[in-house]
Amino acid sequence: MSWTAELDAAVGTLIARVAQEAIAPRYRQLADDDVTAKAADDVVTVADTHAERLLSEGLAHLLPEATIVGEEAAHADPALLDRLGDGLCWIIDPLDGTNNFAAGKPPFGVLIALAEHGECVAGWIYDVLSGRLCTAQKGRGAFVNGTPVRAQATGQVPPVAAISTVFMDMAQREAMRQHILPHYSVVDIPRCAAEQYPRLVLGVNDVSIFERTLAWDHAAGVLFVNEAGGKAARPDGRPYRVDQVGQKGLVAASSPALFDAMAERLAGL
């Protein structure tokens, strides 16, 4: 295990510094040519690329032996995805919720994960506007701004669900509409994993479904939920691994019971 308290603090300090240098000054200040389309309904901004460069440089200094896989670097060179299972690997989402950021609205944040042989062992989730830092270390628990936290359900009946159908096909969306949504109080997704995962721990949402499960979007959040006492895993209960490139489907919930109820319904589709 390469995680240490000193490393944890250093990564948190690095994220906050980069956010204030590369992201915050550009919020609601982007020019038209500062935003580029990567794919349908997916953009990248100069804040993403600047933040990823600074984070990569800082993380390389903290742990020189680790591979670095950043979202924008992997977009430019998909072969980098083959390195996610390396002995040590930093995984960077320099600006999660880029579409929100480009539209001049929250939420958006920074996600960093450290993986060993494909298993996430530490994660950092930073809210740029509030400064909230959610962290988790495998076997050591989950924390918000350094204070230990345990996942809490909303207590609502039916439970509160945020279900991302963005990357589902029409048949999947219809199955959700008919067989899943009637059992839950459905709320809008924030289109930002750096916000969605904390909501599951902090008593805002009870359960979420994700179709696309890219490592930079989900590694830190899955660990945060699990270390807080919730449950995040593949719908069949298998652990989420960062090197499962291309695999789809992920359920995260504020308690194992809420996870099991959703997984059982999904298994019946």
Side-chain angles (χ1 to χ4, degrees):
M1 168 71 84
S2 297
W3 179 91
T4 64
E6 292 76 18
L7 181 64
D8 180 42
V11 174
T13 298
L14 172 66
I15 294 171
R17 177 179 64 78
V18 171
Q20 293 311 307
E21 181 176 340
I23 299 174
R26 293 184 168 105
Y27 184 45
R28 296 177 175 165
Q29 301 296 323
L30 293 169
D32 289 344
D33 59 359
D34 289 336
V35 183
T36 305
K38 283 202 300 187
D41 198 30
D42 190 14
V43 300
V44 62
T45 73
V46 292
D48 296 72
T49 53
H50 187 194
E52 184 165 314
R53 178 174 59 80
L54 295 178
L55 289 166
S56 297
E57 291 171 355
L59 294 172
H61 177 73
L62 292 174
L63 211 58
E65 65 270 32
T67 298
I68 296 177
V69 177
E71 178 180 3
E72 305 314 326
H75 178 74
D77 179 13
L80 268 177
L81 297 174
D82 296 334
R83 304 295 303 277
L84 286 168
D86 282 5
L88 278 175
C89 183
W90 289 113
I91 303 163
I92 305 172
D93 190 336
L95 178 51
D96 185 60
T98 299
N99 282 25
N100 297 336
F101 180 82
K105 63 182 184 181
F108 53 88
V110 179
L111 291 163
I112 302 288
L114 177 63
E116 289 187 335
H117 301 290
E119 179 183 24
C120 184
V121 295
W124 296 260
I125 306 171
Y126 185 73
D127 183 288
V128 176
L129 294 179
S130 71
R132 180 189 66 196
L133 179 63
C134 301
T135 60
Q137 299 86 41
K138 185 169 178 59
R140 290 181 169 90
F143 306 83
V144 177
N145 294 332
T147 300
V149 63
R150 296 295 293 174
Q152 55 182 321
T154 66
Q156 295 188 36
V157 180
V160 178
I163 299 175
S164 177
T165 62
V166 175
F167 298 102
M168 294 181 183
D169 60 32
M170 290 303 296
Q172 289 174 298
R173 292 176 183 174
E174 183 60 21
M176 288 288 157
R177 188 187 69 80
Q178 290 192 29
H179 303 293
I180 303 298
L181 302 192
H183 299 284
Y184 294 92
S185 175
V186 181
V187 296
D188 288 340
I189 61 169
R191 294 209 67 180
C192 175
E195 173 63 21
Q196 186 59 64
Y197 281 105
R199 287 183 181 183
L200 292 166
V201 170
L202 300 176
V204 179
N205 293 168
D206 291 305
V207 63
S208 289
I209 298 175
F210 307 93
E211 178 68 3
R212 191 176 73 169
T213 63
L214 299 169
W216 43 80
D217 287 330
H218 297 283
V222 166
L223 184 66
F224 181 63
V225 168
N226 285 331
E227 287 294 324
K231 184 172 181 180
R234 298 295 182 182
D236 62 3
R238 287 178 300 116
Y240 174 81
R241 292 180 53 86
V242 304
D243 55 357
Q244 295 168 328
V245 178
Q247 288 198 27
K248 297 181 178 180
L250 184 63
V251 175
S254 55
S255 73
L258 285 162
F259 176 96
D260 291 344
M262 176 63 82
E264 184 177 353
R265 291 191 172 100
L266 289 172
L269 294 182

